[in-house]
Amino acid sequence: MRKKIAILGATGSIGKSTLDLIERSPEWFEVVAVTAATNSEALAEIARRTGARLAVVADETRLGDLQARLAGTDCRAAWGEAALVEAAGGQAELVIAAIVGCAGLKPVMAAIEAGRTVALANKEALVTAGELMTDAAARRGATLLPVDSEHNAIFQCLAGSHEDEIARIILTASGGPFRTASANTIDAATPAQAVAHPNWSMGAKISVDSATLMNKGLELIEAHYLFGMPSQRIDILIHPQSVIHSMVEFVDGSVLAQLGSPDMRIPLAYALAWPERMETPAQRLDLADIARLDFERPDLDRFPALRLAREALEAGGAAPIVLNAANEVAVASFLSGEIRFTDISRVVEQALTDALFEAPKSISDVLEIDRATRSRVEALMKDACH
Ligand SMILES: NC(=O)c1ccc[n+]([C@@H]2O[C@H](COP(=O)([O-])OP(=O)(O)OC[C@H]3O[C@@H](n4cnc5c(N)ncnc54)[C@H](OP(=O)(O)O)[C@@H]3O)[C@@H](O)[C@H]2O)c1
């Protein structure tokens, strides 16, 4: 029996890596649903190639184009949130959650509520609704498999261990393209420089997050929810080569690490084949060739986003939602040339300072706090421009 898969965000960087693996092992997997935001051309091509039965665009204006491109196939074209939720909670046994940003929240929750196994790349969903999601997963018997390379590494290191044996988690971070840059250089960074990650090829938003180190901040919050670990027991370690993807220290002083070349197909393959393993075309690690591995502590002065994320995690309640929403708006403004690179953290800090939100009790609460923060941050940035 082939494993039935839904790929949410099939046209993105994670979506494409997933498809690459699936198409190398067609005897293992059957793609049943694929989704995108607006890219109906790429989505239709993916649906035709994989034989998916459902293809969904988030944007209504792209539906006509999707339908036309899928004419003559067995694939139904649909649009909007309800259809995204249907793709996530429908026939698939394994849902690859690779939508970027808070837009993935409802579909991920739908997959969890349907008791599916969810391979979670969409970290923003867990950052904004971590407790609601882990509670729902426990209630519905859904399994969350981390796809982020760091969390996947931790998941692998934790296999077979008990909670009381774990001393701390050590999340590694490449340090991004500005790791050695001066504060002045960072202040003048352009979008092209910010998305040029030294080790990983990723979508634009996560690349900017890696440059500010907000990505590591989001991952800190993600690790807290995935592994039930308090902030004080999650450390961040800069490791420029991105060979060690993260580590776990146990109470006896042993440290386990997962290593591999920086290729998202490795953690994705782990999630796709779990609880087994499958082959990947990823480059094999040659440690003699790499010769050295470096480590340093993060610089919270040049990269305040990491400090802000830890503060948001420790403040709890709605703070991670505010952090994430403000960051999404600020990153989009930076990418479109409206604000400077260093303004991203300033905007997030301001949003957190002004925030007065109670902890969310439902996904609707999360989305309302997200919406309110976005409009407050947009107003804030408009005021700053005048
Ligand atoms: N890339 C990596 O190596 C990597 C590593 C670890 C974790 N992640 C996480 O994985 C997620 C995806 O990252 P990515 O780099 O693959 O992003 P990406 O290349 O920008 O792709 C994003 C995908 O989501 C879709 N999408 C965007 N906005 C949407 C909306 N409002 N509603 C529905 N679908 C929407 C896009 O469709 P269109 O093509 O139509 O825009 C695309 O399919 C992010 O949460 C990221 O943090 C990524």
Side-chain angles (χ1 to χ4, degrees), residues 103-127:
L105 188 53
K106 276 201 176 170
V108 171
M109 201 58 177
I112 294 174
E113 287 289 354
R116 303 290 183 254
T117 300
V118 181
L120 191 71
N122 180 201
K123 62 188 81 185
E124 297 89 348
L126 202 61
V127 165

Side-chain angles (χ1 to χ4, degrees), residues 7-17 35-40 42-43 46 56-59 62 80 84 97-104 107 120-125 147-151 200-207 209-210 215 218-219 222 263-265 267-268 328:
I7 310 175
L8 313 180
T11 51
S13 163
I14 291 288
K16 285 180 195 147
S17 296
T35 81
T38 56
N39 195 344
S40 46
L43 189 69
I46 291 167
V56 180
V57 277
D59 180 354
R62 305 308 302 159
L84 287 170
I99 290 175
V100 62
C102 206
L120 191 71
N122 180 201
K123 62 188 81 185
E124 297 89 348
V147 164
D148 236 337
S149 59
E150 296 76 1
H151 304 77
W200 299 92
S201 159
M202 308 183 285
K205 193 260 177 184
I206 184 175
S207 298
D209 286 348
S210 296
N215 183 48
L218 297 177
E219 288 178 6
E222 193 185 359
D263 185 330
M264 283 307 293
R265 289 177 298 183
L268 272 166
E328 282 192 31

Side-chain angles (χ1 to χ4, degrees), residues 105 128-129 132 321 360 362-371:
L105 188 53
T128 54
L132 295 169
I321 309 172
S362 64
I363 292 295
S364 307
D365 287 354
V366 173
L367 291 169
E368 176 50 30
I369 297 165
D370 176 79
R371 192 203 53 73

Side-chain angles (χ1 to χ4, degrees), residues 19-317:
L19 285 160
D20 178 78
L21 290 167
I22 287 177
E23 287 173 339
R24 286 169 195 271
S25 299
E27 69 285 7
W28 280 43
F29 305 107
E30 178 188 353
V31 177
V32 294
V34 289
T35 81
T38 56
N39 195 344
S40 46
E41 183 178 353
L43 189 69
E45 198 269 319
I46 291 167
R48 279 182 175 273
R49 232 168 62 210
T50 58
R53 294 303 184 95
L54 176 63
V56 180
V57 277
D59 180 354
E60 184 178 9
T61 65
R62 305 308 302 159
L63 180 64
D65 183 67
L66 184 64
Q67 280 170 329
R69 290 177 189 276
L70 289 174
T73 70
D74 289 337
C75 184
R76 179 162 60 91
W79 78 277
E81 194 174 271
L84 287 170
V85 162
E86 183 191 342
Q91 284 186 353
E93 297 153 74
L94 173 63
V95 177
I96 311 293
I99 290 175
V100 62
C102 206
L105 188 53
K106 276 201 176 170
V108 171
M109 201 58 177
I112 294 174
E113 287 289 354
R116 303 290 183 254
T117 300
V118 181
L120 191 71
N122 180 201
K123 62 188 81 185
E124 297 89 348
L126 202 61
V127 165
T128 54
E131 215 164 301
L132 295 169
M133 283 194 176
T134 50
D135 285 355
R139 191 166 27 84
R140 306 295 299 177
T143 304
L144 292 178
L145 298 174
V147 164
D148 236 337
S149 59
E150 296 76 1
H151 304 77
N152 188 271
I154 294 160
F155 190 74
Q156 294 196 41
C157 293
L158 286 176
S161 63
H162 293 285
E163 212 178 307
D164 58 1
E165 296 169 347
I166 305 158
R168 64 179 175 132
I169 283 173
I170 304 156
L171 277 178
T172 54
S174 70
F178 306 133
R179 180 177 63 86
T180 57
S182 68
N184 285 344
T185 307
I186 294 175
D187 190 44
T190 64
Q193 289 167 331
V195 299
H197 196 279
N199 304 338
W200 299 92
S201 159
M202 308 183 285
K205 193 260 177 184
I206 184 175
S207 298
V208 175
D209 286 348
S210 296
T212 57
L213 290 202
M214 180 58 88
N215 183 48
K216 212 47 57 180
L218 297 177
E219 288 178 6
L220 166 75
I221 301 173
E222 193 185 359
H224 163 76
Y225 289 120
L226 277 173
F227 306 114
M229 195 58 53
S231 167
Q232 309 84 289
R233 284 166 61 200
I234 310 172
D235 287 346
I236 311 288
L237 180 67
I238 303 290
H239 165 45
Q241 290 90 354
S242 298
V243 166
I244 296 181
H245 297 303
S246 276
M247 297 178 254
V248 177
E249 182 186 303
F250 293 88
V251 288
D252 60 2
S254 296
V255 177
L256 293 193
Q258 185 260 351
L259 285 70
S261 57
D263 185 330
M264 283 307 293
R265 289 177 298 183
I266 297 176
L268 272 166
Y270 189 85
L272 279 170
W274 185 86
E276 297 168 44
R277 286 190 189 261
M278 63 187 277
E279 285 195 18
T280 78
Q283 197 183 341
R284 301 294 118 150
L285 204 56
D286 184 338
L287 286 173
D289 217 26
I290 293 165
R292 58 180 275 182
L293 298 178
D294 296 296
F295 305 97
E296 56 197 62
R297 289 184 216 291
D299 179 346
L300 300 186
D301 293 329
R302 280 183 308 138
F303 300 101
L306 194 49
R307 169 180 59 78
L308 294 172
R310 198 179 281 279
E311 285 170 6
L313 170 58
E314 289 174 2

